Amino acid sequence: MGTELSPLWRLFEDWCTPADLPALPTTADVIAQFFAEVPGAPATQAKRLQVIRRVHRDAGQVLALPEPVQVSPWREGEGWLDLADTLARSPVRGWPGGLAGRRDGYLAVLAGACRLTREQARTVAVADINQDRDADWSVRDIPVERTVEPEGCPACAVARWLQVLILWEDYGRASVRSRLAGYRPDGEHACLDASGHRDLPPETVLLPAIDQHGWLADWEPVTARTVSAVLAYRQDASRPPAPEHPRPEHEGEVREDYQRASLEELTEILDRLDARAAAALAESDG
């Protein structure tokens, strides 16, 4: 084992010893408890897990970890808004509040209606969204419901965000700003209109970051952490409804509590880590 990995392993060993917990071989429950009591950023926890796995492999020990699971970032229960209320309280007008609100409504549909994981939501592409001849919508072949009220309609939330992206692509930011600043809901379903979103470039980032001035960081989708933070903010039932002319929103203001690690969070780390584990381990073995 390379010396650069030793401090990370020693940290885990030093934590296990006074608690009389097994370090080699260890268990998934012990690792989850370690993550809870010795918190760190997701990248740090992933690196720690990688080291623990490698030490076990080098020692010929079996490290029994749970299979990566598909964990939805959607929250349910007391204190969290359901999908209809989340959409109804996400602004669709004003600048830049309406811009962020429309994107967040689209994200809420991916998580709350389609039950996509954070990574799945980040990677939805233009070709994954379909509107058929009957104006019925689907995302990755998962039907998106049309409800009676347009404000809480999942299909309308998808359509409203795609309308923004189409306008941005065709005419630029100034046109989007003018449209949203003067937009007044008419009570009609946006999802019934022909979208034309398939004319967007295939590489269009559908879940971009948005800065306080309404610029899209459209070179890559928001991080998985931002997906969770945005949904936590939009679903928070204790948050008062947005004012008529909301202040600019800063995406970094909402932070997840990574100290409350659990076995479920461990599987999320495994899910992210396994996507790049082969390359990372090959590099470290070199």
Side-chain angles (χ1 to χ4, degrees):
M1 181 174 63
T3 57
E4 73 278 7
L5 302 181
S6 299
L8 295 175
W9 173 250
R10 285 201 302 268
L11 175 66
F12 180 60
E13 277 191 314
D14 291 345
W15 176 85
C16 288
T17 300
D20 197 24
L21 294 172
L24 185 67
T26 193
T27 67
D29 288 329
V30 170
I31 296 174
Q33 187 177 345
F34 170 64
F35 284 174
E37 296 186 10
V38 188
T44 301
Q45 301 290 48
K47 183 63 175 178
R48 290 171 177 171
L49 179 59
Q50 183 179 346
V51 170
I52 294 170
R53 296 175 85 174
R54 183 176 179 189
V55 170
H56 278 69
R57 186 197 62 189
D58 291 348
Q61 297 284 351
V62 176
L63 178 57
L65 294 177
E67 291 296 321
V69 296
Q70 301 299 311
V71 180
S72 171
W74 188 253
R75 295 160 171 82
E76 295 178 302
E78 185 177 356
W80 301 112
L81 299 175
D82 63 17
L83 180 57
D85 286 337
T86 299
L87 295 179
R89 291 180 59 172
S90 296
V92 297
R93 54 172 294 197
W95 183 265
L99 182 67
R102 290 189 181 215
R103 183 209 56 184
D104 296 352
Y106 160 76
L107 172 58
V109 172
L110 298 185
C114 301
R115 296 292 169 166
L116 301 186
T117 66
R118 298 186 301 179
E119 288 301 322
Q120 288 171 338
R122 294 176 67 247
T123 57
V124 170
V126 173
D128 295 326
I129 301 178
N130 184 58
Q131 182 190 30
D132 64 21
R133 294 180 177 179
D134 296 322
D136 292 326
W137 290 80
S138 62
V139 176
R140 290 187 174 169
D141 297 324
I142 302 171
V144 176
E145 181 185 13
R146 178 183 299 115
T147 58
V148 175
E149 298 297 332
E151 294 81 4
C153 175
C156 283
V158 174
R160 284 192 290 260
W161 177 235
L162 290 176
Q163 288 172 352
V164 165
L165 294 180
I166 293 169
L167 187 61
W168 193 296
E169 175 68 23
D170 290 344
Y171 300 104
R173 174 178 175 274
S175 293
V176 174
R177 179 173 183 173
S178 177
R179 166 75 179 273
L180 295 186
Y183 178 76
R184 297 293 183 273
D186 57 8
E188 300 295 326
H189 277 271
C191 60
L192 296 176
D193 298 332
S195 169
H197 70 280
R198 289 305 182 97
D199 292 331
L200 287 168
E203 67 276 9
T204 300
V205 174
L206 298 182
L207 203 59
I210 302 172
D211 72 12
Q212 60 181 314
H213 305 294
W215 288 102
L216 302 183
D218 56 1
W219 54 87
E220 63 181 356
V222 297
T223 65
R225 182 177 184 179
T226 298
V227 168
S228 292
V230 166
L231 290 173
Y233 175 72
R234 293 298 182 190
Q235 283 193 262
D236 185 0
S238 66
R239 182 173 60 86
E244 186 71 13
H245 300 288
R247 295 172 57 190
E249 297 172 19
H250 300 266
E251 294 176 347
E253 290 180 351
V254 184
R255 298 182 179 179
E256 290 182 284
D257 184 0
Y258 285 99
Q259 297 186 17
R260 294 182 293 178
S262 65
L263 189 59
E264 181 178 279
E265 290 172 303
L266 175 61
T267 60
E268 287 195 55
I269 292 173
L270 280 168
D271 197 17
R272 296 193 298 272
L273 180 62
D274 283 346
R276 61 177 188 274
L281 289 175
E283 181 179 350
S284 64
D285 286 337

